Amino acid sequence: MDRHASPQDSSLAGILEAMEKPLLFAAKNDCAYLHTVKGLNELIPRLAGRAYELTENPEYKKLFETLKNTFTSFYAIERELQKDVLLAALEALVKIKTQDGALVKTDPAASPGTRAADACELPAVSGNEARLLLSTPVEKIKGVGPKIAEALVRKDIRTIEDVLYHVPRSYIDRRRISKISELKPGEHATIIGKIMTARVGHLSGRARVFDLLISDGSGMLSAKWFNVNMPYAHMLKKKYCEGESVLLAGQTTQFKFRIEMHHPEIELMAEEDNPAANLSIVPVYPLTEGISQKTFQKISRQAVEQYAGLLPDYLPGPLRAKYRLAGLGESFARMHYPDNSDSFEDLVNFTTPWHRRIVFDEFFMLQLVLALRKRGMALEQGIAYEIPQEKLDSSISALPFSLTAAQHKALNDILEDMKKPSPMNRLVQGDVGSGKTVVAFIAAMAAVWNGYQSALMAPTEILAEQHFNTLQELSKKLRIHIVLLTGSQPKPARDRALSALRDGSAHLAIGTHALIQEAVEFQRLGLAIIDEQHRFGVLQRALIKKKGLSPDVLVMTATPIPRTLGLTVYGDLDISIIDELPPGRKPIVTKLFHEQKRDEVYKLVRTALDKGNQAFIVYPLVDESDKMDLRDATTMTAHLQQDIFPGCRVGLVHGKMPQQDKDAIMRDFKSGAINILVATTVIEVGIDVPNASLMIIEHAERFGLSQLHQLRGRVGRGAAQSMCILLAQYSKSDDARQRLEVMVKTNDGFKIAEEDFTIRGPGEFLGTRQSGIPDFRVAHIGRDIKILTEAREAAFALIDADPELKNPKHMMLRQILLERWRGRFELAGTG
């Protein structure tokens, strides 16, 4: 074939025919001989480029652009896919030719949102080629120079794939520009008007509000940005000056007699801008300094138009059909540049079919890992324990209290797991004081009866000591030898503990992360118990497991786990819930006080102290901050000691103190030498002071609900009626108040956790990136619970049918999964 042949007919129809002939010739050849057909990578792109210039139809332009891009790398495509590419290209050309009179006319019905993915049904390239394309540096996109590339890196955007996954955080609906006079509260609207005034106002403390008054000739609207710091407020005032024209888009509300928008999307309008020229839905991206919306819109448009259509759809066809999933390339295209027929409400709520597909993919990949891990655990050889009923009954009878029904159920779950030949991987969650430790201790006894040792790892020394002291009493009756292992214990005691673990005379080791140090050797570790699980990193949990040969793992947490996290972070663990408090425990009374009623709160402290009880006072900050107008623990300790409670001893504990100093203060508080303990959230986990009956939390609006619930659980452990006071700053309409009211209404940690998780999302809820949760780029495990459940069902069913993903239809999926999760499979099971 003459690769330099040119069509004699230079019309669009002639060029189509010139493309069709070599494609038809090549398609008739068997795939094995396609490499003998030379020059398609030069001829087709050249002809497609000419056709692009001749047509005015935007749909055909995109098709020719896709043809050009696809055939440029035609010979890099795997051979079995080359014929599919040829046939799809021929089908697309025939389709154009049969549309009477449409070849060179603009299609008036073509929407500005129509994408390359809709215009051309060319199959995507193979997995390997796609990964290469997607890893193309973002600098290859036209207009991205070193400065813009540097700005993009600040948002973790380095490749084409990163651009595609950097989805709009919102959209502006420019299909209809409203008049201010027509606006009603509670609707999403877009208006264009002139800035009449721009001012920076004051709220309480150091907070500022930036306020623009906008007029479009029909009425006035106030646009407000709350809680902005002074430098940012002045930057806004400098950018949005009086007399400038702006486009605003956002939710309307009413204050007094004026319509307002709070934190709207805003765009400066140049004089030459014609609003009617872009009557479409416009993406709004989360950006960083040094890059504007218009710049990133140009970048994302190029990425979508050049690469989205080439993405391989690695999900099997039957699975896509069953769960009604849109195509991958089309979904990226429509998320970034919606069609004018798309629902604006669905777009801003991330509930379009396009968002749903990408969300499903992210969840599906995680669930595949969990399914593979769970299956691997089931196949792994563990310890099949024998549980002698007589010994079990006598051990439970030896306890100084009766187990609750919930404790019995959790214990049965654990013991049934321990009987199986595969390793246990179970999470026990129960509210503060529900008796998880005793259940874990009986499980440790079962290991001892079978000749194995157990380890209980706690996040702090004082909590490890607390467990040691509590269980020491029980162990004497049951003839169990327990050793304590912490970082600060004297060397002789540490050496004795290490020796006892090595020779097997110690049955149970209780300690901190010191348990996973290299010097610690167990003779025969059979059960690893991890307390306050969310305080440990994934790696630490994996390391304690390596101290034995496939030991059972029992994880405990007092932080109630919302169902959504049970399906993700803990998706490979079996879960038991202890949702019942021991009899006789009095519920903690919780009250909400405004900052102005501080004197009343201090009276409650005096009343508690006069009765011989103790009090906690918790602050969000250790030291005074220039950035935040908040009381801090250090300053307030001095103030409380000197000015408010001079006759009492006020102590201070916070996270910046050395561990031994923290432990010394806590021992003084527990012994009663300190009456009031001022603290930060360092006291959140597990400290047991029965005489402390009052918890005061300052700036309660600054804490998450689950954190408040954990802090509240530090009291209510003795006979006295306990109380938790939330001292907060809020206005009547403030949602902070509504949030805190949840704490007043319920002591149910699970209800509080669900509410908190919905409000704050997974990362902030767990308070750490080491939790094992992947960084979802589009999915939100609070918002997308229904999709998460479907993705989990689909992934587990796929692994049941194809346990090693060896089915040829799943090879691309396997390859992408390995690339995304390389090195994380072992840790996935411990996270």
Side-chain angles (χ1 to χ4, degrees):
M1 182 189 302
D2 179 5
R3 71 181 69 181
H4 301 294
S6 293
Q8 293 176 340
D9 182 355
S10 59
S11 68
L12 185 53
I15 289 172
L16 291 179
E17 199 170 328
M19 275 197 276
E20 193 176 1
K21 282 178 182 175
L23 291 174
L24 204 54
F25 173 79
K28 283 177 182 175
N29 280 274
D30 187 79
C31 269
Y33 301 106
L34 267 176
H35 62 284
T36 63
V37 181
K38 305 290 184 186
L40 289 177
N41 61 328
E42 294 178 19
L43 178 65
I44 301 301
R46 192 170 78 245
L47 293 174
R50 285 201 207 166
Y52 180 94
E53 290 167 9
L54 285 172
T55 185
E56 295 172 17
N57 185 316
E59 185 177 347
Y60 300 154
K61 276 186 177 291
K62 291 180 180 77
L63 183 142
F64 293 133
E65 188 170 17
T66 305
L67 279 172
K68 184 178 175 181
N69 290 334
T70 304
F71 276 89
T72 299
S73 56
F74 180 76
Y75 295 105
I77 298 172
E78 290 174 12
R79 281 194 187 163
E80 60 266 28
L81 283 175
Q82 286 180 337
K83 196 158 189 175
D84 291 338
V85 170
L86 292 166
L87 292 172
L90 281 165
E91 194 180 326
L93 294 176
V94 170
K95 191 176 172 185
I96 294 176
K97 286 176 73 177
T98 55
Q99 291 184 15
D100 291 336
L103 288 178
V104 290
K105 295 176 185 172
T106 302
D107 180 358
S111 155
T114 305
R115 293 295 143 249
D118 306 321
C120 182
E121 295 298 318
L122 286 175
V125 294
S126 72
N128 287 329
E129 287 97 32
R131 300 308 295 165
L132 285 170
L133 282 170
L134 291 175
S135 59
T136 303
V138 74
E139 289 93 331
K140 297 290 181 186
I141 290 179
K142 188 179 174 184
V144 178
K147 271 194 174 179
I148 289 177
E150 192 180 320
L152 290 171
V153 166
R154 290 199 289 274
K155 294 298 283 184
D156 283 332
I157 299 170
R158 295 173 172 82
T159 65
I160 299 299
E161 182 176 22
D162 295 335
V163 174
L164 292 175
Y165 272 101
H166 193 70
V167 302
R169 61 174 166 79
S170 186
Y171 298 86
I172 294 176
D173 190 353
R174 297 180 68 152
R175 294 171 300 181
R176 180 175 178 270
I177 306 295
S178 302
K179 287 184 176 178
I180 292 174
S181 59
E182 297 169 352
L183 299 180
K184 294 181 178 66
E187 63 183 8
H188 198 287
T190 303
I191 63 115
I192 291 175
K194 272 205 166 127
I195 299 173
M196 308 307 289
T197 62
R199 66 185 191 87
V200 178
H202 291 256
L203 295 173
S204 60
R206 295 186 178 93
R208 303 282 185 274
V209 59
F210 179 61
D211 187 356
L212 293 178
L213 189 62
I214 311 290
S215 170
D216 69 350
S218 76
M220 306 279 264
L221 174 143
S222 181
K224 291 179 177 174
W225 289 262
F226 296 98
N227 296 319
V228 294
N229 59 38
M230 189 56 91
Y232 186 57
H234 284 307
M235 185 276 286
L236 288 172
K237 193 164 187 229
K238 193 173 175 183
K239 185 174 181 181
Y240 301 109
C241 308
E242 292 174 14
E244 295 274 18
S245 288
V246 287
L247 179 144
L248 289 172
Q251 198 78 11
T252 56
T253 184
Q254 188 160 351
F255 180 67
K256 295 184 178 174
F257 302 107
R258 179 169 289 154
I259 292 287
E260 295 188 344
M261 283 185 182
H262 296 167
H263 300 268
E265 303 298 341
I266 183 169
E267 188 180 310
L268 281 170
M269 301 285 288
E271 281 185 28
E272 63 274 13
D273 284 351
N274 176 12
N278 188 13
L279 298 178
S280 60
I281 300 172
V282 181
V284 179
Y285 294 95
L287 294 178
T288 185
E289 195 178 334
I291 186 162
S292 68
Q293 285 294 336
K294 284 184 178 176
T295 300
F296 195 80
Q297 283 163 7
K298 285 177 187 172
I299 293 167
S300 65
R301 185 176 287 279
Q302 286 184 72
V304 164
E305 292 182 351
Q306 291 175 33
Y307 295 96
L310 301 177
L311 287 173
D313 212 324
Y314 43 78
L315 292 186
L319 188 150
R320 294 203 306 271
K322 181 179 178 181
Y323 292 99
R324 308 168 314 284
L325 298 173
L328 187 61
E330 181 186 21
S331 295
F332 275 118
R334 292 281 281 270
M335 269 200 315
H336 285 278
Y337 290 95
D339 191 274
N340 275 359
S341 63
D342 287 337
S343 159
F344 185 75
E345 190 178 343
D346 287 349
L347 284 163
V348 293
N349 290 324
F350 278 47
T351 53
T352 67
W354 331 117
H355 286 92
R356 183 174 173 272
R357 168 60 204 266
I358 308 303
V359 168
F360 186 97
D361 278 24
E362 290 199 290
F363 285 147
F364 182 75
M365 286 301 186
L366 169 67
Q367 295 301 331
L368 273 184
V369 172
L370 296 175
L372 285 164
R373 179 64 188 171
K374 198 159 190 174
R375 186 177 179 86
M377 288 293 292
L379 297 173
E380 197 177 320
Q381 191 58 44
I383 305 157
Y385 293 95
E386 290 182 12
I387 312 294
Q389 193 62 44
E390 194 179 317
K391 285 187 177 181
L392 179 63
D393 293 341
S394 65
S395 297
I396 293 173
S397 301
L399 298 173
F401 45 77
S402 299
L403 294 180
T404 64
Q407 283 175 306
H408 272 295
K409 186 179 181 314
L411 180 59
N412 287 339
D413 289 344
I414 293 164
L415 296 178
E416 285 303 312
D417 282 356
M418 291 179 77
K419 289 177 187 175
K420 293 174 186 173
S422 55
M424 171 170 68
N425 220 18
R426 181 168 290 276
L427 170 71
V428 176
Q429 52 172 320
D431 228 332
V432 175
S434 61
K436 299 179 294 297
T437 310
V438 170
V439 170
F441 178 67
I442 296 170
M445 294 281 302
V448 173
W449 301 330
N450 284 265
Y452 287 90
Q453 297 166 294
S454 299
L456 194 166
M457 188 162 74
T460 64
E461 290 202 2
I462 194 154
L463 189 51
E465 283 179 17
Q466 189 170 289
H467 284 320
F468 180 73
N469 294 332
T470 303
L471 297 178
Q472 188 78 310
E473 295 299 313
L474 294 173
S475 67
K476 285 174 185 171
K477 287 186 189 177
L478 299 167
R479 297 177 184 176
I480 299 290
H481 180 203
I482 306 182
V483 295
L484 179 68
L485 200 65
T486 63
S488 65
Q489 71 188 136
K491 190 174 185 299
R494 179 181 172 78
D495 288 345
R496 282 195 300 274
L498 289 172
S499 174
L501 289 173
R502 266 195 305 271
D503 65 26
S505 60
H507 303 118
L508 172 61
I510 298 176
T512 56
H513 60 276
L515 285 172
I516 57 177
Q517 287 171 356
E518 210 172 313
V520 181
E521 291 175 33
F522 290 83
Q523 188 194 59
R524 208 177 183 209
L525 180 66
L527 174 65
I529 304 162
I530 298 155
D531 191 21
E532 291 304 342
Q533 189 270 350
H534 72 292
R535 291 286 166 138
F536 288 109
V538 175
L539 187 60
Q540 289 163 309
R541 298 195 288 278
L543 286 172
I544 189 145
K545 216 180 156 191
K546 285 185 175 176
K547 293 290 179 182
L549 287 171
S550 295
D552 283 357
V553 174
L554 182 63
V555 162
M556 303 192 297
T557 181
T559 304
I561 305 300
R563 177 168 167 257
T564 40
L565 287 188
L567 297 176
T568 49
V569 186
Y570 310 102
D572 60 334
L573 299 177
D574 298 302
I575 297 178
S576 295
I577 296 173
I578 303 179
D579 54 3
E580 187 181 352
L581 288 177
R585 280 279 176 96
K586 294 176 183 174
I588 301 162
V589 175
T590 304
K591 294 186 176 180
L592 177 59
F593 282 79
H594 193 276
E595 166 66 31
Q596 294 164 345
K597 296 189 175 178
R598 176 173 293 277
D599 290 344
E600 288 182 40
V601 174
Y602 287 156
K603 278 181 193 171
L604 289 169
V605 177
R606 287 190 187 93
T607 303
L609 298 180
D610 289 344
K611 289 180 181 175
N613 296 124
Q614 293 161 280
F616 289 99
I617 304 180
V618 176
Y619 293 88
L621 300 179
V622 175
D623 299 304
E624 192 175 1
S625 166
D626 292 333
K627 294 177 183 174
M628 289 183 276
D629 189 21
L630 301 175
R631 288 182 167 81
D632 66 276
T634 307
T635 307
M636 288 303 292
T637 301
H639 171 61
L640 292 168
Q641 180 70 82
Q642 292 162 23
D643 307 324
I644 312 296
F645 304 108
C648 303
R649 187 174 168 205
V650 181
L652 169 67
V653 64
H654 57 75
K656 291 182 180 177
M657 295 167 70
Q659 187 65 46
Q660 57 268 32
D661 292 355
K662 280 190 276 191
D663 290 345
I665 294 285
M666 287 310 306
R667 286 188 194 97
D668 283 352
F669 186 56
K670 195 165 183 175
S671 71
I674 290 173
N675 309 106
I676 298 169
L677 183 64
V678 175
T680 57
T681 54
V682 69
I683 60 141
E684 180 187 344
V685 171
I687 296 153
D688 196 354
V689 185
N691 195 45
S693 65
L694 183 61
M695 167 66 69
I696 292 167
I697 303 170
E698 295 257 16
H699 297 294
E701 74 281 358
R702 291 274 169 171
F703 295 91
L705 292 180
S706 290
Q707 204 170 28
L708 290 172
H709 181 64
Q710 290 295 301
L711 290 167
R712 174 168 65 182
R714 297 304 105 228
V715 296
R717 290 166 172 252
Q721 174 63 63
S722 291
M723 185 181 287
C724 176
I725 304 295
L726 306 175
L727 196 53
Q729 295 178 350
Y730 53 79
S731 61
K732 284 186 181 176
S733 63
D734 200 344
D735 47 352
R737 181 190 174 117
Q738 293 165 27
R739 211 161 47 82
L740 294 172
E741 290 287 359
V742 175
M743 291 291 297
V744 176
K745 286 174 189 166
T746 183
N747 278 300
D748 186 331
F750 294 96
K751 283 183 185 170
I752 288 165
E754 288 289 355
E755 183 81 17
D756 194 26
F757 183 80
T758 304
I759 291 165
R760 295 195 299 153
E764 208 182 329
F765 177 87
L766 289 166
T768 173
R769 280 181 174 267
Q770 66 180 14
S771 60
I773 265 196
D775 294 325
F776 294 124
R777 293 187 278 193
V778 183
H780 184 292
I781 59 180
R783 178 193 65 213
D784 301 319
I785 177 65
K786 191 174 175 213
I787 305 172
L788 168 58
T789 309
E790 289 181 343
R792 181 173 175 82
E793 174 190 81
F796 275 72
L798 188 76
I799 295 305
D800 280 346
D802 184 12
E804 294 180 29
L805 293 178
K806 286 193 171 174
N807 184 321
K809 292 178 182 175
H810 302 152
M811 292 310 284
M812 194 190 303
L813 181 61
R814 177 190 171 95
Q815 179 190 340
I816 288 170
L817 184 70
L818 284 168
E819 282 183 18
R820 286 193 188 172
W821 286 82
R822 195 179 301 282
R824 295 172 74 175
F825 278 95
E826 182 186 356
L827 300 182
T830 54

